[in-house]
Amino acid sequence: MKKVYGSATEALDGLLFDGMTIAAGGFGLCGIPELLIDAIRDAGTKNLTIASNNAGVDDFGLGVLLKTRQVKKMMSSYVGENAEFMRQYLSGELELEFNPQGTLAERMRAGGAGIPGFYTRTGVGTQIAEGKEHKEFGGETFILERGIMADLSIVKAWKADTTGNAIFRKTARNFNPPAAKCGKICVLEVEEIVEPGTLDPDHVHLPGIYVNRLIQGQHEKRIEQRTTRAA
Amino acid sequence: MAWDRNQMAARAAQELQDGMYVNLGIGIPTLVANYIPEGVTVTLQSENGMLGIGPFPTEENVDADLINAGKQTVTALPHTAYFDSAESFAMIRGGKINMAILGAMEVAENGDIANWMIPGKLVKGMGGAMDLVAGVERIVVVMDHTNKAGESKLLKACTLPLTAQGVVKRIITNLGVLDVVEGGLKIIECADGVSEDDIRNATEAAIVN
């Protein structure tokens, strides 16, 4: 079965619909599926619910979908870098569900692993626990969090072979593997597609079974906080 | 007299023991990395998926794929390991990280901590703070003892929404070091030129002997 597509738009053909839930990889602007995000903007799909740790910045990453008002709801842990996000949220145009970062990652991992819920200590005694089932284990209190099962995963890796076996680079891995696993369909963008046999099977981070469609492209890889020391 | 930001960070660095895996929060906690004592090797964890954080890069070594949890560009060390976010929080939630040094807006005498939101003000989110305080073995808070109006930030009970209940073990402020113990806070150390009475006068939380 062919997994490699010619462009982000082609790779998303037939997958997008209004009101869908999308899980996106990335941390800040690091390792985000920038080509697929732009293609979703071009497609104009509306009322999206997006599970992503962050919401991009005003003109890059998921920020471009906020600008075009394509997003109904964000499920995130930190959204501080995006002024347009804040404006829409404070005016009530955008729903926001805050998730502790590790809870969000585990909700994706669990959802992708066929686990509909799990108990965690994170958030007990805080606003996050309100309305959630509490349960004692060994004298300690935990809350029930639900696995996320998205309609679509959009993720970014460094390299993949044509069967979708993928490797990530440094901290650009972040939310990409858990996000990739929790969608009914996963579309992966990479910097380079290689032939099977090129990647060491021992070094594959995301086995191709999780990847349905695959594209290669040029990435801007914008840096949010360029911090340097003197040479 | 009291400690400044760097002196607070230097004092917090004295908490580090050889071989520890440590997560440092944003702000003064980040400065702790500059004061790690001679002969002590600690591995810093960044919750975006890295163990073994190196110094900031030189201009020519900047790599968009290599950042810390504050989204700053960093470098790797010979023993660095990378992993995904689910794995990162598995080690946090699983109690593998020995210590987290974090900032706070308020701490209560029972160890409650509030450091993620002020109702009515811009809420950016908790990021990984709730997972860290719930999962890490020992939570050390570095914070100013009082707010700009001179009111204690070490309280009988937190007024802001909590990040976690009863997790803080030690508080390092500009006035000194306090531990959370049965019945309240215990003064462990006073900053240069600060007396125990100065700390008592600046603290709303119960001070026990």
Side-chain angles (χ1 to χ4, degrees), chain A residues 27-28 30 54 77-81 86 90 98-103 105-106 109 120-128 169-175 177-178 221 223-231, chain B residues 47-50 55-60 62-73 75 82-86 89 93 116-117 122-128 130-131 134-135 161-165:
Chain A
F27 180 93
C30 182
N54 312 92
S77 87
Y78 192 82
V79 295
E81 326 296 349
M86 281 300 166
L90 294 172
F98 273 129
N99 285 249
Q101 193 174 133
T103 294
E106 186 64 11
R109 194 203 68 80
T120 177
R121 206 186 293 113
T122 303
V124 170
T126 75
Q127 288 184 359
I128 294 304
R169 192 169 170 274
K170 304 187 179 182
T171 58
R173 195 180 321 182
N174 57 57
F175 273 78
K221 299 212 277 186
I223 293 172
E224 216 162 328
Q225 305 278 346
R226 177 181 289 266
T227 313
T228 58
R229 67 187 151 95
Chain B
E47 63 265 28
N48 56 317
M50 181 181 194
F56 293 131
T58 57
E59 190 60 44
E60 64 268 28
V62 166
D63 185 337
D65 289 337
L66 184 45
I67 63 169
N68 64 18
K71 290 150 191 156
Q72 296 169 308
T73 45
T75 55
Y82 302 113
F83 35 85
D84 70 51
S85 299
F89 284 93
R93 207 186 296 104
W116 80 280
M117 78 171 286
L122 203 59
V123 183
K124 294 181 170 184
M126 72 291 284
M130 277 192 187
D131 310 274
L162 295 184
T163 311
Q165 292 177 320

Side-chain angles (χ1 to χ4, degrees), chain B residues 192-205:
Chain B
D192 309 328
V194 173
S195 70
E196 288 203 10
D197 276 346
D198 292 334
I199 292 181
R200 283 171 201 278
N201 291 337
T203 307
E204 183 203 282

Side-chain angles (χ1 to χ4, degrees), chain A residues 1-15 36 162 185-188 193 211-217:
Chain A
M1 199 194 89
K2 175 178 115 67
K3 290 190 179 181
V4 178
Y5 284 72
S7 70
T9 298
E10 284 173 39
L12 291 170
D13 185 46
L15 302 182
L36 292 162
T162 54
I185 297 279
C186 171
V187 182
L188 169 70
I193 295 176
V211 177
N212 300 96
R213 299 183 182 187
L214 174 66
I215 57 159
Q216 169 181 308

Side-chain angles (χ1 to χ4, degrees), chain B:
Chain B
M1 279 296 289
W3 286 327
D4 64 20
R5 285 166 59 88
N6 284 301
Q7 288 169 313
M8 287 161 72
R11 177 59 189 82
Q14 299 299 315
E15 301 293 313
L16 302 172
Q17 291 166 25
D18 195 40
M20 275 186 168
Y21 290 90
V22 179
N23 185 294
L24 300 177
I26 291 165
I28 298 176
T30 304
L31 301 175
V32 172
N34 301 333
Y35 298 97
I36 296 171
E38 192 92 359
V40 171
T41 302
V42 298
T43 300
L44 300 178
Q45 198 248 19
S46 193
E47 63 265 28
N48 56 317
M50 181 181 194
L51 273 166
I53 310 172
F56 293 131
T58 57
E59 190 60 44
E60 64 268 28
N61 287 324
V62 166
D63 185 337
D65 289 337
L66 184 45
I67 63 169
N68 64 18
K71 290 150 191 156
Q72 296 169 308
T73 45
V74 293
T75 55
L77 297 170
H79 67 291
T80 292
Y82 302 113
F83 35 85
D84 70 51
S85 299
E87 184 71 48
S88 178
F89 284 93
M91 63 184 74
I92 290 168
R93 207 186 296 104
K96 314 300 179 190
I97 306 289
N98 304 112
M99 182 181 287
I101 303 179
L102 304 166
M105 299 187 254
E106 295 177 348
V107 173
E109 63 190 36
N110 64 355
D112 288 359
I113 177 171
N115 72 350
W116 80 280
M117 78 171 286
I118 301 174
K121 290 208 176 165
L122 203 59
V123 183
K124 294 181 170 184
M126 72 291 284
M130 277 192 187
D131 310 274
L132 283 162
V133 292
V136 172
E137 198 179 328
R138 183 170 170 83
I139 301 297
V140 175
V141 166
V142 182
M143 65 192 291
D144 281 329
H145 208 98
T146 56
N147 63 21
K148 284 181 183 127
E151 297 156 346
S152 179
K153 294 165 75 165
L154 280 50
L155 303 172
K156 293 192 178 305
C158 290
T159 64
L160 296 169
L162 295 184
T163 311
Q165 292 177 320
V167 295
V168 177
K169 301 291 190 291
R170 176 161 283 192
I171 311 159
I172 297 167
T173 77
N174 51 320
L175 300 184
V177 181
L178 299 95
D179 273 356
V180 177
V181 298
E182 192 67 38
L185 305 181
K186 182 178 168 63
I187 299 170
I188 301 297
E189 194 178 320
C190 298
D192 309 328
V194 173
S195 70
E196 288 203 10
D197 276 346
D198 292 334
I199 292 181
R200 283 171 201 278
N201 291 337
T203 307
E204 183 203 282
I207 302 276
V208 298
N209 290 313

Side-chain angles (χ1 to χ4, degrees), chain A residues 88-153:
Chain A
Q88 288 184 26
Y89 173 57
L90 294 172
S91 68
E93 296 164 55
L94 180 70
E95 289 174 56
L96 171 60
E97 179 191 299
F98 273 129
N99 285 249
Q101 193 174 133
T103 294
L104 183 63
E106 186 64 11
R107 289 184 67 191
M108 291 181 181
R109 194 203 68 80
I115 296 170
F118 59 92
Y119 292 97
T120 177
R121 206 186 293 113
T122 303
V124 170
T126 75
Q127 288 184 359
I128 294 304
E130 287 169 15
K132 289 175 184 162
E133 185 199 323
H134 287 58
K135 191 164 176 149
E136 301 260 319
F137 292 91
E140 227 184 318
T141 305
F142 294 74
I143 55 172
L144 178 66
E145 294 282 3
R146 305 289 299 266
I148 293 173
M149 294 167 190
D151 297 305
L152 173 69
S153 301

